[in-house]
Structures are given as structure tokens and as C-alpha cells.
Amino acid sequence: RVFSAFRRRSSLVNTRRIVVLRAMALASTSSARLPPLQPPHLSEAQQELFDDIVSTRAGVVGKEALFDEQGGLRGPWNAEVASPHLGKHLERLASAVRHQNSLEPRLYEVAILVVGVHWRAQFEWYAHERLARKAGIAEAAFPLIKAGAPAERLRGVLKPDEAAVYSLALELMRTKRVSAPTYAATKAALGGDDRRMADLCMTMGCYSAVSAILNMFDVPLPAGEALPFLDQPADAASKQQHRAGGRET
């Protein structure tokens, strides 16, 4: 009887924890740390950047990803508008990554996904999973990339040059370095082209900055979208553990 009561109590505690986790996931998609910045309450510099983002991004990510429910900008773009003199340069870099990159979209999107996984950046994965799929990345690769699978598991799933990009990106994100063999193999897979290697590095640097913005400002997804990563924020986890401990003692 004591054991049965303990099992029922444990089951109740676990159920409560699941409810809390789901509530936090829903809350994270419904609030943001920066207020939505939108016309007519913008400075001249903010309005100029806002208009530029709308004109260049709507056709790439779609209006649902670009605008929030209040008509403000979603993703990293609201933060860019908050600081337009810096934000315009990050936006120009991100635009150059897309339009002036020597790498094909299928290659730079693999690198961007690896960066998003490393940062556990919810909006990054949400936006770029669909862009990578559109670029031709094999469907079977997405769950492996999302799980941070070892590079050897992506061979035969990704094309050889895509797998080489994945291997280098994963190594750089995890170790903060790239070994000589990995560098040489990736460069060979990219045709021995130094510009392509430089573009790969700058692509990852750009989207590391974007991911930092997304995470620092806790940028929400469109309403109803499931979170790609279910990790708890550290402060929320600490509060939940404290509350759970208070109930159980």
C-alpha cells in the first residue's frame, strides 16, 4: 500500500511537471522582451530600416514569419529596428549571405541549421528548416541535424559537399576550433576555393549573431507553432525545481 501510494504521488508530481513544461512552452511563444516596433511610432532611421526589411524579407520568409500578431516585426528584425544604426549592418550582412554568397543555398542552409541547433535558437530553426527544405536538403537529414548527430551519420543522407559543410560546422560549434583534417576535407569538397571557405565562416558568424539576438530577446514563434527545442530556460528550470521541492517536502 505504501508503495502504491508512493507511485500515485510520483505520477501526480510528474503530471504537474509536464503541465508546467507545456505552459512554459506556450508562454514562450506568446510574449517577447522587446515591444513590437512599428509605424507610425518609429524614428526616421527606424522607419527606413523597417521598410527595407519588409521589402527584402517578405518574399523570403513569408509574412507569417516576418510579422507578429500586432503587425510588428518578428525574428531578429524587431531588435534590428530597435537599434537601426547597428541593425542595418547586420541586416545587410544577412542579405549578402543570401544573395552574394559563393555557396549554394543548400550548403549555407546546412551551416545555418547547425548554428541554430548549437544555440537552441527556436526561431532560427523554425525559419530555416523550411528554407533548407526548399533548397533541396534531404528530408531524412532534418531530425539528424536537429539532434546534433555525429557527422558520420549524415554521410549518405546529405550530399558529399553538404556532409562536409555539416562536419566542419558541427566541429566549430562544439569545439570552437576546426582541425586541419576537417578543414582540408571541407575545402576539397568545396572545390578548393578559399572564397567559399571564407563565405562559409562568415555565414556561421552572421547567424551566430542572429541566434544571440533571438535568444537574448526570447523571440517567440507564430501562434500555434511547436517549439523545435524543448529545453527549459535556466531560470525557469530553477524556479520549477524550487516549487516542486516545496510541494514534495
Side-chain angles (χ1 to χ4, degrees), residues 153-171:
R153 291 189 59 192
L154 274 295
R155 293 173 191 144
V157 179
L158 293 173
K159 295 176 182 177
D161 54 353
E162 296 166 357
V165 166
Y166 178 82
S167 179
L168 184 144
L170 187 66
E171 186 173 313

Side-chain angles (χ1 to χ4, degrees), residues 57 60 89-113 115 124 128 131 195-196 198-210:
R57 290 288 177 172
V60 176
H89 296 293
L90 179 58
E91 184 59 22
R92 286 172 181 170
L93 176 57
S95 180
V97 164
R98 184 156 300 282
H99 298 293
Q100 297 176 290
N101 205 323
S102 62
L103 300 173
E104 300 94 315
R106 62 184 178 83
L107 295 175
Y108 65 66
E109 288 296 347
V110 167
I112 292 170
L113 287 179
V115 171
E124 190 73 8
H128 285 273
L131 292 173
R195 179 190 168 189
R196 301 186 90 196
D199 285 356
L200 174 58
C201 186
M202 285 186 274
T203 296
M204 291 186 288
C206 174
Y207 281 91
S208 289
V210 169

